[in-house]
Amino acid sequence: MELDWGYLSALAGRVAHSIAQKWAIVEADDVKQEILLHAYAHRPAIEANYTSEDFLWKIFNKAGTQYASKERNYRDLLDDAYYYTPDEAKATLKTFLYTDDELSQMVGKKDDLLQARVSDNIVSARIDAASSLKQLPARYQQLLMRRHVYGLPVSDQADRQALTRAAVALAQQMNRTLRTRKNAA
């Protein structure tokens, strides 16, 4: 099947415009280019669904949104502000076991339970983690709480993989929360 790249380009442009309106950090032309690169790299899938504009829209929207998300994460990493790592996000979840009073007693002291030095920013990290956790899908929330707050094992392979993705998602959301709070100040 011969693809009409003019048609695909027009559709990619409409999708890119929609994404650029939602993601202020990207330009519609850049998103369109990434969508078309994705379409070219995945021609068999495009050819198989060429007659379904709704399905093509979904494919293009996913590719464009992934690009915008990658750009936002890259910008967050380079904006010279503090950046939470997945390991720090997991360590912060472990502090959920403590009350605020217990945590205030530990700030700046060696914490034998966590096997880590609790820094002075743990209170703000907890706030970021608590609000960010609510933004994640329910499955991610449950897995993170099960493993890193309650200390229960996760034995299923699919759940272990999802737990790894959940920790990354939590760190990314914590970074967004941190930037939002910083920009509001």
Side-chain angles (χ1 to χ4, degrees), residues 111-126:
D111 179 16
D112 294 333
L113 295 175
L114 293 180
Q115 299 295 315
R117 180 162 169 73
V118 178
S119 70
D120 291 337
N121 103 4
I122 195 67
V123 174
S124 61
R126 256 175 66 143

Side-chain angles (χ1 to χ4, degrees), residues 42-115:
H42 297 90
R43 281 187 314 278
I46 301 300
E47 289 172 357
N49 297 288
Y50 186 71
T51 58
S52 174
E53 186 170 304
D54 288 341
F55 196 79
L56 290 177
W57 181 280
K58 289 176 186 174
I59 291 173
F60 287 5
N61 190 56
K62 182 174 181 180
T65 301
Q66 286 175 335
Y67 168 73
S69 177
K70 183 176 72 174
E71 287 297 306
R72 180 187 55 206
N73 289 341
Y74 181 72
R75 183 210 60 201
D76 286 350
L77 183 62
L78 297 179
D79 73 356
D80 207 23
Y82 188 78
Y83 190 81
Y84 292 112
T85 66
D87 286 340
E88 290 170 325
K90 291 185 288 191
T92 301
L93 287 175
K94 292 177 184 177
T95 69
F96 283 15
L97 291 172
Y98 302 110
T99 66
D100 290 341
D101 288 338
E102 290 171 329
L103 191 63
S104 70
Q105 298 298 315
M106 297 180 337
V107 172
K109 298 179 180 147
K110 176 86 171 149
D111 179 16
D112 294 333
L113 295 175
L114 293 180
Q115 299 295 315

Side-chain angles (χ1 to χ4, degrees), residues 113-165:
L113 295 175
L114 293 180
Q115 299 295 315
R117 180 162 169 73
V118 178
S119 70
D120 291 337
N121 103 4
I122 195 67
V123 174
S124 61
R126 256 175 66 143
I127 292 168
D128 292 340
S131 63
S132 297
L133 192 61
K134 295 174 189 172
Q135 304 298 318
L136 299 180
R139 180 170 184 228
Y140 281 5
Q141 291 178 35
Q142 292 165 352
L143 287 169
L144 288 166
M145 294 296 289
R146 175 181 175 82
R147 181 69 189 116
H148 299 295
V149 177
Y150 305 125
L152 299 172
V154 177
S155 57
D156 182 67
Q157 178 63 24
D159 283 348
R160 283 196 303 273
Q161 290 175 337
L163 181 61
T164 299
R165 290 190 301 274

